[in-house]
Amino acid sequence: MERLQLEFPEADLVHRYPLSVRIGDMNYGRHLGHDALITLLHEARAQAFVALGFREWDVAGYPSVVADLAVQYRAEAKWPDALEVETAIPVAEERGFCVYQRLQRPEDKRTIAVARLNLVLLDLQSGKPVRVPDTLNTAVDALKQRRSD
C-alpha cells in the first residue's frame, strides 16, 4: 500500500493553537476520530486566520473554500490529551494557497497528524476563484517575521 508522505514546512510556520481531545472526539476505537480531527484542524485554521487579521469567510474581501485536503496520520490521540496545532502557510500563488497543519502532543512531542489543504478564494458574484490578493502574502510574511524575532 502506498502511503501519503507530507512534510510540514517549518520555515512557513505562522501560528500555534493549543486544544484538547474532547470526550465527543473519540471513536469506537477509543482514539481521536478522523471527523473530529478535521474539526480540530478547522478550529485551529480559523484561529490562524484571525492572527493574520482575516476571517475564513473574508480573506481580503473573499471567502476561502477548501479545494482539497490530505491527511497523514502518524500516532493516536486519546481523551483527554492536551494537543497543539501548528499552522504553516507558504507563499500564495495565483488562484490558490496551501495551508499545512501539524497536530502534536507536546507532552511527548509526538506528531499525531499532518494535513495539507489547498484553498481558493471565491468571487461571490461569479462563484469562480480569484487571484490571491497580495494582502494575504503580506500578512503571512509579517506574522512569520514576528515569530522569528
Side-chain angles (χ1 to χ4, degrees), residues 62-75:
Y62 302 101
S64 66
V65 176
V66 175
D68 56 58
L69 164 70
V71 178
Q72 179 188 18
Y73 297 94
R74 296 187 180 174

Side-chain angles (χ1 to χ4, degrees), residues 61-65 120-130:
Y62 302 101
S64 66
V65 176
V120 294
L121 303 178
L122 293 182
D123 177 310
L124 288 177
Q125 300 301 319
S126 69
K128 296 186 182 208
V130 299

Side-chain angles (χ1 to χ4, degrees), residues 13 143-149:
L13 178 68
L143 206 51
K144 286 179 194 175
Q145 184 62 39
R146 276 186 269 162
R147 293 204 62 79
S148 67
D149 290 341

Side-chain angles (χ1 to χ4, degrees), residues 43-56:
E43 174 66 28
R45 188 172 68 253
Q47 294 293 337
F49 273 108
V50 168
L52 290 166
F54 302 113
R55 300 282 192 246
E56 283 188 302

